[in-house]
Amino acid sequence: MRCILLPLLCATLAHAKNPGGIPAEYRLLYSQDFATADSAKDFLMSDPSAWTISRADGKAALELSNQSKYAPPFRSPLNIALLAGKAFGDVIFEADCQLTGK
């Protein structure tokens, strides 16, 4: 099973000029289109070898391509990719995801 995370947006309530698609009452805090291999450096991953930047149909995505070898000491998700170095309060998180397995 593979999971693909396509362009990612995080926004919060604010009053500022925004790029298209973001309502005027929100402020864009983070956006990622995974256009470069360095895009993955924005994330702290439980097992970086399980994730890759893939490209298909002219679009780039962060893809969970292998099962993580992360073995937590307690019950926990195994495939984790957290946005590193950012702290948000109340947000609207928007991501296009595609499940490519059964």
Side-chain angles (χ1 to χ4, degrees), residues 32-89:
Q32 180 59 261
D33 62 5
F34 303 108
T36 68
D38 286 344
S39 300
K41 291 181 180 177
D42 285 357
F43 295 86
L44 178 62
M45 300 171 186
S46 55
D47 181 2
S49 67
W51 298 88
T52 58
I53 301 289
S54 64
R55 288 170 180 70
D57 300 325
K59 295 181 181 177
L62 179 63
E63 178 178 356
L64 177 59
S65 54
N66 299 303
Q67 180 60 47
S68 174
K69 296 189 181 1
Y70 173 59
F74 45 85
R75 187 178 169 122
S76 170
L78 302 178
N79 304 305
I80 302 169
L82 299 174
L83 190 55
K86 303 280 185 192
F88 302 108

